[in-house]
Amino acid sequence: MENSAPNGQPSSPREITRREFIAAGAAALASTKMLKADTPPSNRIAADRNRPQYHLLPPANWMNDPNGPFQWKGRYHLFYQYAPVVSNTGTKYWGHAVSSDLVHWKNLGIALAPSPGGPDKNGCWTGSAVVANGIPTLVYTGATWSEESERAARAKGLIPERQIVAVSANPEDPDQKRWIKIPQDPVLAVPPAGMKVVGWRDPSLWKERDIWYMVIGSGEAGIGGLALLYTSKDLRNWTYLHPLAVAKPESGKQNSVGFGADMWECPDFFFLDGRPVLLVARGNSYFRGTYSDHRFQQGVGGQIDYGAAYAQKTMEDEKGRRIWWGWIHEKRSMQAQVAAGWAGVMSLPKHLTLLSDGTLGVEPVPEVNVLRRGRKEIPNQEILPNGALFLKDLEGDCAEIEAEIELRDSQQAGLRVRSTADGTEQTLIGYDRDSQMLFSDTTNSSRDPETATGPFPGAGRGVQSGSLKIPKADVLRLRVYVDASVIETFANGRVSISDRVYPVSPASLGIGLFSRGGTAHLRRMTVWQLAPISTNRLTSGAKLYRV
Ligand code: DQQ
């Protein structure tokens, strides 16, 4: 993510150091204790206008990274980091949701919980799912930021993170609800001898012939990201080979959540059309490159999402598609998150493809179209710099907008969403021609003072932006998904920006067009109301998450 000043010029945010991060973790823990409130009743959470209607999230409390997506017996399984308090330093569990169409999700409750006395006793962190010899298997990291002994170990430069395996209790169960940790756990207890790493977590796996390969996110202080490569025949006995990849100096990409400043969290390695691709959480980055002797040489790359998404994770589905998820975090104060009783949302599933110019294509999976209702076509028209704020008879906070805008002689043009009639609250999604940047401008998205700051770098209102080279004659093609406080934008099939907005006024529903510095032209535009995927903003099943 790049953070920008409101004039669209990228500012240069300062990376937080590891020491600052650990201190921030301790402070957050203390504030969690102060702020910890009982989970609000489900009916109150279901009535929360900020809570999305078609993005996945648990019934209450905290959600972060997507974990272990896989498809099994006709169903998509998606796990996520869950904490039973609204805090990123809370003890982590794996929450679990299932879907037969990638759109309608049912929360199934907790799939993995810390085992007292076990290597994950303080938390089940991020990991992956594979099917080995017909047995769904999870591989993840056991760790915490908050338990005193682990914090003391980190302060001494030790890495209290271990890799753990759990297998399906019943491979025939289409819900895959029960998982058993294997007696050999942890399958890996310490990072490679002699390496001074700052973290060692978030395993991701693939298979070449009969051999499993696993990459673990890591890094060295002052140097940066490392993806460490291990191999195994049975997912139990692992041998360290060498780094799969070592970060090249990076160009100002910032972690949207400020974790792992010196490391690559959540590496994900796969092949698209036979070509190797490495993803890392930092900046939702992807790298193309070469792969030989099990070493990946980082070549050109890009960013899949420029916004409030983090901890990207993919799977290949039975149709052979590479499907991407990210955690869309909150952008308001911790107090506001605790008061709401929930925090964190899963992105829509995004389909990654390899484009002919070697970059990645990024689009929502077409399954999402099943939610479309009430279609409205907007006639083509001029977009004047001082034109009307709104398009008449058009509004929505559970909607999809598809628009093609010719920039013509404008400097910036795009869409206005979640706007009041007088524009005192409004969010702009647009394109800046000179800087060739796609942007999401939430400077005026809310009058709530709790949205001025947030716990993560880049949180609070402002402009998020990132490079988008439009190959043909300045036509901006937007697909904007508005879902209460979530605005998820896809542009020209190439990039996305996920953002969060919390308008105060219930009337902040208007949809409009804008241009600056000249007149742009709307070629075509369609707006659909989208059907919610549940009747109660996905608050069913809260008791399955009690710990
Ligand atoms: N979140 C997990 C870690 C991962 C981080 C803990 C990324 O495994 O590195 O919740 O957001």
Side-chain angles (χ1 to χ4, degrees), residues 39 86 92 99 172 181 232 250-251 253 267 351 359 375 397 401 473 475 501 537:
T39 305
V86 178
K92 296 293 167 63
S99 170
E172 294 312 309
K181 295 169 196 173
S232 171
E250 290 174 89
S251 53
K253 271 176 216 153
H351 182 200
T359 62
R375 171 191 179 112
D397 67 351
I401 308 164
V475 179
V501 298
R537 297 188 195 243

Side-chain angles (χ1 to χ4, degrees), residues 64-67 81 94 124-128 139-143 145 161-164 199-205 214-218 226-228 259-260 263-269 279-281 310-313:
N64 58 295
D65 314 355
N67 290 161
Q81 290 281 283
W94 278 36
C124 303
W125 278 13
T126 282
S128 300
V139 188
Y140 64 99
T141 302
W145 291 119
E161 299 178 2
R162 317 106 190 136
Q163 317 311 327
I164 297 167
W200 183 62
R201 56 183 179 270
D202 310 335
S204 175
L205 287 82
M214 171 168 75
V215 66
I216 297 183
S218 192
L226 278 177
L228 301 180
F259 296 152
M263 72 174 280
W264 274 343
E265 292 183 313
C266 312
D268 197 10
F269 182 69
L279 308 185
V280 296
Y310 191 68
Q312 51 185 340
K313 185 84 193 153

Side-chain angles (χ1 to χ4, degrees), residues 47-48 56 87 106 204 215 217 228 253 283-284 286 289 344 359 372 409 424 477 484 488 498:
D48 182 345
L56 170 65
S87 166
K106 184 178 176 201
S204 175
V215 66
L228 301 180
K253 271 176 216 153
N284 301 304
Y286 71 84
T359 62
R372 289 173 171 174
D409 60 357
T424 47
R477 286 192 291 111
E488 196 171 345
S498 300

Side-chain angles (χ1 to χ4, degrees), residues 149-202:
S149 62
E150 297 205 10
R151 280 179 40 219
R154 286 182 202 281
K156 280 193 225 139
L158 301 172
I159 304 300
E161 299 178 2
R162 317 106 190 136
Q163 317 311 327
I164 297 167
V165 169
V167 293
S168 167
N170 175 10
E172 294 312 309
D173 173 15
D175 276 348
Q176 290 302 306
K177 270 195 183 155
R178 286 194 51 240
W179 299 85
I180 299 168
K181 295 169 196 173
I182 63 169
Q184 295 94 321
D185 281 332
V187 293
L188 284 169
V190 286
M195 288 186 83
K196 273 270 188 239
V197 297
V198 296
W200 183 62
R201 56 183 179 270
D202 310 335

